[in-house]
Amino acid sequence: MILEDRIEANVSVWRERVARMIKEYGDFVISNVTVQQIYSGIRGVPIQVSDISFVDPDHGIRYRDYSINEILKLLPKAPGSKYPMVGGLYYLLMDNELPTLAKAKEVEEEWRKRATVPDYVFKIIDAFPDDGSAMAMLSAGVMAMSCDSKFVEAYHDQTVGKNDYWKSTLDDSIDLTARMPHIAAYIYNKKYRNNQQIDPDPKLDYAANFAHMIGKGDDPLYSELMRLFILLHADHENANVSAHTAHLVGSALSDIYLSCSAGLNGLAGPLHGLANQECCNWLLDLYHFYQGIPSKEQIEEYARKTLADGKVIPGYGHAVLRCTDPRFTAEMEFAKANFPEDELFRTAMAVFEVVPGILMETGKVKNPWPNVDALNGALQYHFGVTETDYYTVLFGLSRLLGITSHVVFARAVNKPIERPKAMTTRMLESMISEQN
Ligand SMILES: CC(C)(COP(=O)(O)OP(=O)(O)OC[C@H]1O[C@@H](n2cnc3c(N)ncnc32)[C@H](O)[C@@H]1OP(=O)(O)O)[C@@H](O)C(=O)NCCC(=O)NCCS
């Protein structure tokens, strides 16, 4: 299988590099941790090494060291499409080589062969009330597949050694990502289309098949949006809440389904993945409140009221980024090229002109610029995907590509169980008084 062959070719190089680092530079100090960092979500403390992606504070995410613009240009596209095929993106995340179109298609073919979702997953989702949380359905569906895990089988097989665990983890990752479009679409149809389910179409690529299964197959532009959306949301470094959670759980040798389900639960939080839903709702409320595209003064009034109510302005700010998110820019260009007159998009553009200035005035927001969530919802809304409480599922569908790649990499280099240290306030106080 193509991904296994590529990783196999690299794994000894990766392992030697890690072993050499530890042997030769194990005592090299790269960071000191301050009291403030411990109390502020271990912000900025380096906790991971992963070559898959890196958030450059001033330029945004880089996948395998390629910027978003480079990725959009360099990854292979299916004939007639302007946006990369998702299979090629997965190939790049799992390895460090830009794939050809033939290789991207091979990954898509592998997904196609493994796309059948076990019936029990649908039964579990059906057990939720229709108005239940879409993310809880997704997480439960993913977690349930733990019983199919090839890694668990390998772990109990005396003939399989630790050095080969990555192979069954990769197998599980391909199974899981292959099934994700159907699972995500099933949730959409259950919740918002009176359970009218649509079978997958094996002729379609990953993104187009998802579009088809939620009833948007007639509009090729929506498939293009989903190719772009999946690419932009696939990964954002291995230290954000969802990726780090999955990594942490995986470090206990839990299988990929348990790890990813835990990661999805983190993604469901309003300060992380749920922000795209909150952002779209905020934009819609603003648009409806002023009965149309608001003026600058109206946006200013509305944003100040949001802050005065003690709320954040969703879609703005970031824990690491210190610039306009290039993923926001890519989405803006998509909308400008295809539906510049869309009223919600124009509202989002007007907000972009006003909100950074207001956030700067507060004097405390470290990054006043928009992140990708500032536009996600407006773009989905344009295509009639108006159910904002579903948007985090779209994020999860995309993000599992990055998360599974990080977990496979961690297994490939035999990363050990994670166990940082906690301390008491008294210990902290005495450490400080001893040094003063
Ligand atoms: C993403 C986010 C959680 C990062 O948080 P962070 O790393 O703590 O950000 P900062 O260091 O800049 O925060 C400093 C202060 O500015 C506030 N702040 C940051 N972004 C803000 C925003 N968009 N609106 C209002 N206040 C904001 C923080 O709440 C914090 O206030 P506090 O000191 O009273 O607690 C934060 O910017 C936010 O809540 N944004 C809106 C939600 C969002 O878009 N999330 C998606 C992220 S991809």
Side-chain angles (χ1 to χ4, degrees):
M1 185 246 293
I2 185 166
L3 291 175
E4 186 172 326
D5 296 346
R6 279 300 304 168
I7 297 176
E8 182 87 72
N10 281 318
V11 77
S12 57
V13 180
W14 296 344
R15 282 183 191 160
E16 276 163 32
R17 224 170 150 194
V18 173
R20 189 168 54 82
M21 277 289 179
I22 297 171
K23 187 163 174 258
E24 293 180 18
Y25 305 106
D27 294 330
F28 185 85
V29 177
I30 54 161
S31 165
N32 289 315
V33 182
T34 64
V35 171
Q36 162 122 20
Q37 284 175 310
I38 293 183
Y39 278 115
S40 330
I42 45 178
R43 201 62 45 89
V45 179
I47 55 151
Q48 291 283 357
V49 179
S50 173
D51 298 331
I52 293 166
S53 66
F54 170 72
V55 181
D56 176 341
D58 300 319
H59 299 100
I61 183 72
R62 299 179 79 84
Y63 295 158
R64 293 284 180 189
D65 224 18
Y66 294 102
S67 68
I68 284 292
N69 279 342
E70 288 168 331
I71 294 274
L72 285 168
K73 269 194 211 111
L74 296 173
L75 278 182
K77 288 131 195 129
S81 168
K82 288 189 184 150
Y83 291 92
M85 213 179 222
V86 181
L89 171 70
Y90 204 41
Y91 184 99
L92 179 71
L93 291 173
M94 282 285 182
D95 190 32
N96 47 4
E97 184 190 72
L98 277 170
T100 57
L101 180 59
K103 286 176 175 168
K105 282 185 174 168
E106 256 189 82
V107 176
E108 295 255 346
E109 187 49 41
E110 196 64 44
W111 271 334
R112 212 160 279 136
K113 282 191 241 159
R114 299 169 181 232
T116 306
V117 177
D119 212 37
Y120 63 78
V121 172
F122 297 137
K123 287 194 177 124
I124 282 165
I125 295 171
D126 284 340
F128 281 79
D130 287 351
D131 63 354
S133 152
M135 280 304 280
M137 291 179 197
L138 186 67
S139 173
V142 167
M143 185 166 65
M145 291 185 287
S146 172
C147 63
D148 284 341
S149 169
K150 291 169 181 156
F151 166 74
V152 171
E153 221 178 288
Y155 180 76
H156 292 293
D157 180 342
Q158 304 295 326
T159 65
V160 181
K162 174 174 152 181
N163 279 339
D164 283 333
Y165 283 170
W166 68 267
K167 292 183 184 167
S168 48
T169 303
L170 173 67
D171 240 347
D172 281 349
S173 297
I174 301 173
D175 285 342
L176 168 59
T177 48
R179 295 167 184 179
M180 280 299 286
H182 197 175
I183 298 173
Y186 191 89
I187 294 168
Y188 187 82
N189 295 331
K190 167 185 164 66
K191 277 181 73 72
Y192 317 111
R193 292 186 0 108
N194 291 324
N195 216 8
Q196 283 174 272
Q197 299 295 341
I198 300 175
D199 287 336
D201 179 347
K203 292 190 296 305
L204 298 172
D205 67 43
Y206 195 82
N209 201 13
F210 170 74
H212 155 76
M213 285 187 280
I214 63 161
K216 302 282 173 208
D218 293 341
D219 187 349
L221 194 58
Y222 185 70
S223 296
E224 285 284 75
L225 173 67
M226 283 313 297
R227 287 184 193 106
L228 174 66
F229 184 99
I230 292 173
L231 184 144
L232 297 180
H233 290 80
D235 202 16
H236 218 230
E237 207 178 79
N238 200 19
N240 63 66
V241 168
S242 51
H244 183 220
T245 304
H247 178 271
L248 176 68
V249 175
S251 83
L253 290 187
S254 300
D255 64 60
I256 203 86
Y257 301 102
L258 298 173
S259 307
C260 286
S261 169
L264 288 170
N265 295 341
L267 194 69
L271 296 185
H272 191 19
L274 200 82
N276 59 16
Q277 156 179 342
E278 299 210 330
C279 187
C280 192
N281 288 336
W282 188 86
L283 268 186
L284 285 166
D285 289 346
L286 167 70
Y287 178 81
H288 292 309
F289 188 75
Y290 294 109
Q291 296 169 347
I293 301 168
S295 67
K296 280 188 178 178
E297 292 70 30
Q298 288 170 329
I299 295 171
E300 210 174 308
E301 175 184 71
Y302 201 82
R304 288 192 197 288
K305 175 153 185 351
T306 303
L307 294 178
D309 289 346
K311 295 182 192 144
V312 294
I313 299 186
Y316 284 77
H318 199 270
V320 180
L321 280 178
R322 295 295 176 258
C323 62
T324 294
D325 190 337
R327 301 171 303 169
F328 169 90
T329 310
E331 289 196 339
M332 182 176 77
E333 281 164 7
F334 183 93
K336 275 188 180 162
N338 295 301
F339 40 85
E341 294 311 319
D342 180 282
E343 298 226 330
L344 200 56
F345 171 62
R346 286 177 58 198
T347 302
M349 287 295 94
V351 168
F352 179 33
E353 282 183 35
V354 175
V355 160
I358 294 176
L359 291 180
M360 273 187 241
E361 271 175 28
T362 65
K364 64 173 183 177
V365 179
K366 295 196 190 67
N367 176 41
W369 305 110
N371 59 61
V372 69
D373 291 333
L375 267 183
N376 274 332
L379 269 61
Q380 292 293 334
Y381 220 86
H382 174 80
F383 290 96
V385 182
T386 56
E387 302 82 2
T388 57
D389 58 339
Y390 183 72
Y391 291 171
T392 316
V393 173
L394 294 175
F395 194 162
L397 164 70
S398 320
R399 186 49 63 90
L400 286 199
L401 299 174
I403 290 179
T404 51
S405 305
H406 287 289
V407 176
V408 169
F409 178 77
R411 287 280 154 87
V413 298
N414 285 328
K415 278 199 192 173
I417 187 165
E418 259 192 27
R419 179 61 167 93
K421 190 80 190 82
M423 60 200 307
T424 65
T425 313
R426 190 184 291 275
M427 284 171 174
L428 200 54
E429 283 163 350
S430 47
M431 275 177 83
I432 293 164
S433 66
E434 272 165 31
Q435 286 186 28
N436 282 328

